[in-house]
Amino acid sequence: MKALVAVKRVVDYNVKVRVKADGSDVDIGNVKMSMNPFDEIAVEEAVRLKEAGKVSEVVAVSIGGKKAEDTLRTALAMGADRAVHIETESSVEPLAVAKLLKKIAEREEAQLLLLGKQAIDDDANQTAQMLAALMNAPQATFAGKIEVNGGEVLVTREIDGGEETLAFRLPVVVSADLRLNEPRFVKLPSLMQAKKKPLEKHTVEELGVDISPRLAVAKYAEPKPRQAGIKVADVDELLAKLKEAKAI
Ligand code: AMP
């Protein structure tokens, strides 16, 4: 069973993003970029399944500018076997990403399609769902556990007040949640070895997918600054302040 893992290059989660003065976009010039954290979890899971003999090959895919190659190299260093880069400098919305991923999934005849539950830049949480719909395949979103038994995949998801375990036939689209695993730390020798692993390039035109945007962002705005808190001397003062603020 071949696994395809979608990895997106995003602003590192430690970076405090700034909105451009005219509100037209966020400023990502000179900020640290990394693999989307949920995608790291997806890669880790695919690699663990391969190490357990449940998956035959792990192919990482990224859609984005030239630098998406760095993200793919990280996936290769984590243990992916091959990488596919669909190079475009245009911004791609989740529907366009889903259409491109479908093309690659079909070419590769991948059976397990792993994505992150959401990209931390657009926070869309749409791509996996759209990919499943386009492929007419079942989907398991927010996976906390994945088990592979022959031709069947069992996915456990956290739901309100408990867990739910779903069984799927292949191919299946699964999106990774935080608790699925803890990704390994990539060591320098693995990064060096990753340089030798195959990385294939495609263009959007060659894949024949229309990526023209359906949405226009009207405005970006920073959150309102939070007011500083105060220290209270005792419980009576605390209660008085809470009453004053009409919190109780
Ligand atoms: P989103 O729907 O934008 O929140 O993204 C959900 C998941 O889709 C991400 O965690 C990635 O696994 C995948 N994805 C989104 N955009 C891209 C991209 N440009 N390249 C590769 N994978 C992507």
Side-chain angles (χ1 to χ4, degrees):
M1 175 172 76
K2 200 191 271 189
L4 196 83
V5 192
V7 294
K8 185 177 187 186
R9 182 174 184 263
V10 296
V11 173
D12 188 88
Y13 70 96
N14 286 307
V15 171
K16 188 175 179 328
V17 281
R18 298 253 165 239
V19 174
K20 285 185 179 170
D22 63 1
S24 63
D25 206 344
V26 289
D27 193 357
I28 58 163
N30 295 324
V31 301
K32 185 174 181 235
M33 305 288 284
S34 304
M35 186 189 297
N36 182 43
F38 295 107
D39 304 354
E40 242 181 284
I41 295 171
V43 174
E44 176 67 34
E45 194 64 17
V47 172
R48 285 189 193 183
L49 286 169
K50 185 176 172 202
E51 286 165 353
K54 307 278 187 182
V55 155
S56 53
E57 194 183 24
V58 178
V59 182
V61 189
S62 193
I63 299 136
K66 176 102 190 69
K67 292 263 175 145
E69 222 179 284
D70 299 348
T71 308
L72 286 168
R73 290 285 170 210
T74 306
L76 293 170
M78 287 177 74
D81 299 288
R82 285 193 292 121
V84 175
H85 181 193
I86 305 171
E87 198 169 336
T88 173
E89 295 301 332
S90 313
S91 76
V92 271
E93 290 173 1
L95 180 59
V97 173
K99 287 180 183 171
L100 291 163
L101 290 175
K102 176 177 184 260
K103 289 270 177 191
I104 303 298
E106 284 170 353
R107 281 183 181 206
E108 295 282 348
E109 294 182 3
Q111 299 278 280
L112 178 62
L113 311 174
L114 272 164
L115 291 85
K117 77 163 176 182
Q118 77 192 56
I120 62 163
D121 52 1
D122 61 14
D123 269 351
N125 175 15
Q126 295 174 358
T127 311
Q129 295 87 330
M130 287 176 169
L131 176 62
L134 291 171
M135 295 200 55
N136 200 18
Q139 60 175 309
T141 51
F142 312 145
K145 188 174 170 194
I146 304 177
E147 291 159 275
V148 177
N149 298 318
E152 194 182 57
V153 171
L154 290 174
V155 176
T156 304
R157 319 171 57 233
E158 247 176 65
I159 54 169
D160 266 357
E163 287 182 339
E164 133 181 290
T165 300
L166 303 169
F168 298 94
R169 294 244 167 75
L170 302 170
V172 61
V173 179
V174 182
S175 76
D177 208 342
L178 207 57
R179 270 186 266 271
L180 184 58
N181 60 52
E182 219 173 278
R184 66 196 63 192
F185 181 74
V186 175
K187 298 199 185 96
L188 192 60
S190 314
L191 270 170
M192 302 306 283
Q193 278 164 10
K195 290 198 174 137
K196 292 189 202 125
K197 290 189 179 175
L199 190 152
E200 181 185 312
K201 297 254 184 191
H202 293 286
T203 62
V204 171
E205 294 72 33
E206 167 208 328
L207 295 169
V209 171
D210 171 17
I211 63 159
S212 49
R214 263 76 173 159
L215 307 167
V217 177
K219 189 177 144 204
Y220 287 96
E222 306 231 353
K224 292 209 170 64
R226 288 170 62 181
Q227 283 186 336
I230 53 159
K231 271 193 185 165
V232 289
D234 51 32
V235 174
D236 290 339
E237 195 189 343
L238 172 66
L239 291 173
K241 290 281 175 202
L242 288 172
K243 277 187 191 147
E244 207 179 290
K246 296 198 168 51
I248 52 171

